[in-house]
């Protein structure tokens, strides 16, 4: 069952959110490890997501690492293996800032689960997507300082968090192709929104891979390895791969996920809420990595007709576009649909059933929200939202 954003949070969820510096109204999918996303109306409020409501996805316990003793090893297909302190990372390389949206491959899995159960996975709503300004050193510069060899094809990332969600249990790891690792936008970050990276987001340092699924942005990074092959971590070899609907997860089975897919979400009014009759500001986001969003359409008649929504300004090549449109809602049940188009002219498939897959990744189908429209005085206190 989907946990609706209007439900009250349990005291355990609220305590867990507070202990990680998150708002009380986070939608918590698990407290051990802590996994949580912002309530949709909160996420709608700004282009940058404040740290206290940025979604967080953890496969194991959050490591408590001392920045003074933390080291980043750079090895594998390099001429000179490095062992960098955080001070060296901060002082020996140019400091860069990139604003980037991070999106979990499981974003909007809850809607896939309504079509057919996705066993053993957290049922994320549209909030496993958030945007921050990241500050750090370019991974490319660090790899060049180590003398990356020409035959390296992948940069593999390792972290110390041990997780029983992998088979067999192991620490977290992942990789990206070398062309992406050497792109200017990929950072070894120590700051988020101008503040020190919090533990739950990867302190003392993490990689941020803009435009790729969140799983590749490894937190608590302790090793970068130049390699001929992708990471042999469970999270590269078996998880975060797209299977056909009748596939069975296993090493090397399915399509390894890297660049994000075209997607969109409706945040306000949130699915399952009650709104007053009349003009309602419908708001959401759309994201397609560096392909960029060209248009978002919204429909009140299940796609028979569409109206174009207004897009906010593109704040940079690696961020979502937020969109909004005032729609006249009549008493009864309103089913709102949205679909985005990227700059290459691709758009989203209509139904979640078309894209269902056993691990519940990449729900790229039309965004949907069903709301109850009532005369103004009956409006529920739970309803939407401060508008930006
Ligand atoms: N890195 C480590 N070491 N352990 C993890 O569990 N989760 C990944 C990625 N990096 C993860 C990790 C996934 S699936 C996502 S979506 C992002 O971190 C989430 O980053 P955030 O918690 O900062 O939002």
């Amino acid at each position: 069952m989907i946990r609706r954003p209007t439900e009250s949070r349990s005291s355990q969820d609220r305590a867990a959110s507070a202990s990680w510096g998150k708002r009380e109204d986070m939608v918590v999918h698990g407290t051990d490890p802590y996994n949580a996303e912002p309530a949709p109306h909160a996420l709608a409020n700004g282009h940058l997501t404040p740290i206290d409501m940025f979604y967080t996805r953890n496969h194991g316990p959050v490591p408590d690492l001392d920045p003074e003793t933390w080291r980043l090893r750079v090895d594998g297909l390099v001429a000179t293996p490095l062992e960098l302190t955080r001070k060296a990372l901060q002082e020996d390389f140019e400091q860069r800032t990139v604003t980037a949206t991070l999106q979990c491959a499981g974003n909007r899995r809850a809607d896939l689960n309504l079509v057919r159960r996705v066993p053993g996975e957290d049922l994320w709503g549209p909030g496993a997507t958030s945007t921050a300004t990241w500050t750090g050193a370019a991974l490319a510069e660090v790899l060049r300082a180590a003398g990356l060899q020409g035959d390296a094809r992948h940069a593999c990332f390792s972290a110390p968090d041990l997780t029983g969600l992998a088979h067999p249990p192991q620490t977290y790891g992942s990789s990206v192709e070398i062309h992406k690792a050497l792109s200017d936008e990929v950072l070894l970050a120590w700051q988020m929104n101008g503040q020190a990276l919090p533990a739950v987001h990867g302190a003392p340092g993490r990689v941020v891979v803009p435009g790729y699924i969140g799983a590749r942005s490894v937190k608590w990074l302790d090793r970068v390895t130049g390699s001929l092959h992708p990471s042999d971590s469970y999270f590269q070899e078996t998880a975060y791969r797209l299977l056909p609907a009748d596939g069975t997860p296993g090493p090397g089975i399915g399509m390894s996920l890297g660049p994000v897919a075209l997607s969109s979400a409706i945040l306000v009014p949130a699915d399952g809420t009650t709104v007053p009759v009349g003009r309602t500001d419908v708001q959401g986001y759309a994201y397609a990595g560096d392909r960029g969003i060209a248009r978002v359409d919204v429909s009140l008649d299940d796609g028979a007709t569409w109206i174009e929504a207004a897009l906010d300004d593109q704040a940079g090549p690696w961020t979502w576009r937020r969109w909004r449109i005032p729609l006249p809602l009549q008493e009864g049940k309103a089913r709102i649909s949205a679909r985005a188009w990227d700059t290459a002219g691709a758009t989203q498939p209509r139904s979640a059933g078309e894209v269902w897959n056993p691990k519940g990744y990449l729900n790229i189908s039309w965004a949907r929200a069903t709301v109850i429209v009532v005369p103004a005085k009956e409006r529920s206190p739970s309803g939407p939202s401060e508008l930006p």
Side-chain angles (χ1 to χ4, degrees):
M1 186 189 141
I2 307 180
R3 187 197 300 238
R4 297 292 176 202
T6 50
E7 282 179 26
S8 60
R9 312 282 177 251
S10 76
S11 56
Q12 199 193 0
D13 288 357
R14 278 189 271 119
S17 293
S19 73
W20 294 114
K22 298 289 175 185
R23 286 165 50 136
E24 280 204 337
D25 62 351
M26 294 292 281
V27 180
V28 177
H29 297 286
T31 54
D32 187 18
Y34 180 65
N35 280 296
E37 63 181 297
H41 68 271
L43 188 59
N45 271 339
H47 182 72
L48 284 186
T49 314
I51 293 178
D52 67 359
M53 63 158 123
F54 199 103
Y55 86 93
T56 186
R57 169 72 174 110
N58 300 295
H59 291 82
V62 170
D64 180 16
L65 302 174
D66 178 356
E68 294 300 317
T69 54
W70 177 79
R71 297 287 180 271
L72 177 63
R73 271 195 293 159
V74 184
D75 61 7
L77 296 175
V78 296
T80 317
L82 303 176
E83 192 169 282
L84 298 172
T85 61
R86 201 165 84 153
K87 191 164 179 287
L89 189 63
Q90 291 175 334
E91 292 179 3
D92 297 351
F93 301 91
E94 188 190 331
Q95 181 172 308
R96 292 167 186 246
T97 293
V98 174
T99 299
T101 297
L102 216 58
Q103 183 167 70
C104 187
N107 192 48
R108 294 179 62 219
R109 180 181 284 131
D111 290 346
L112 293 176
N113 192 65
L114 291 177
V115 174
R116 185 171 147 194
R117 218 167 75 79
V118 180
E121 300 287 341
D122 287 334
L123 300 182
W124 295 91
T129 303
S130 299
T131 300
T133 292
W134 308 91
T135 301
L139 172 61
E141 260 198 68
V142 173
L143 286 171
R144 282 194 201 102
L148 182 72
Q149 292 171 4
D151 50 351
R153 291 286 164 270
H154 301 267
C156 303
F157 307 127
S158 311
D161 51 320
L162 184 65
T163 165
L165 295 179
H167 310 293
Q170 57 196 263
T171 53
Y172 193 86
S174 171
S175 60
V176 297
E177 311 82 7
I178 209 70
H179 73 83
K180 184 66 180 177
L182 293 176
S183 304
D184 285 348
E185 70 275 6
V186 179
L187 295 187
L188 300 174
W190 57 80
Q191 268 186 13
M192 182 178 182
N193 289 347
Q195 295 172 43
L197 203 59
V200 78
H201 291 294
R206 74 178 300 172
V207 62
V208 174
V209 186
Y212 270 41
I213 60 163
R216 307 305 176 220
S217 290
V218 173
K219 304 190 274 190
W220 314 294
L221 186 71
D222 60 12
R223 188 171 171 198
V224 178
T225 306
S227 171
L228 283 176
H229 307 288
S231 164
D232 62 3
S233 160
Y234 169 84
F235 298 98
Q236 189 75 34
E237 258 192 352
T238 302
Y240 298 106
R241 300 182 76 96
L242 194 64
L243 273 68
D246 59 354
T248 307
I253 308 288
M255 185 198 307
S256 177
L257 298 176
V260 294
L262 167 64
S263 67
S264 67
I266 298 169
L267 298 175
V268 175
D271 187 35
T273 51
T274 300
V275 298
V277 166
R279 201 187 91 129
T280 294
D281 247 310
V282 179
Q283 302 172 55
Y285 66 78
Y287 184 49
D290 64 339
R291 293 183 309 292
I293 295 297
R295 199 175 93 205
V296 171
D297 304 326
V298 179
S299 175
L300 284 176
D301 53 15
D302 199 28
T305 59
W306 295 94
I307 318 169
E308 192 171 341
L311 291 175
D312 72 355
D313 292 337
Q314 179 81 50
W318 302 106
T319 62
W320 59 10
R321 302 283 297 270
R322 298 186 312 137
W323 56 264
R324 66 189 302 159
I325 185 167
L327 289 182
L329 298 184
Q330 287 165 15
E331 190 169 349
K333 197 191 260 184
R335 193 173 190 222
I336 310 168
S337 310
R339 66 176 185 196
W341 298 78
D342 71 18
T343 53
T347 192
Q348 302 178 248
R350 179 189 190 95
S351 74
E354 291 171 66
V355 294
W356 190 93
N357 60 94
K359 297 281 282 179
Y361 298 134
L362 303 195
N363 181 5
I364 55 170
S365 63
W366 292 356
R368 309 271 199 176
T370 301
V371 294
I372 307 300
V373 187
V374 296
K377 60 179 163 33
E378 288 177 34
R379 182 181 174 183
S380 88
S382 60
S385 87
E386 312 122 67
L387 300 174

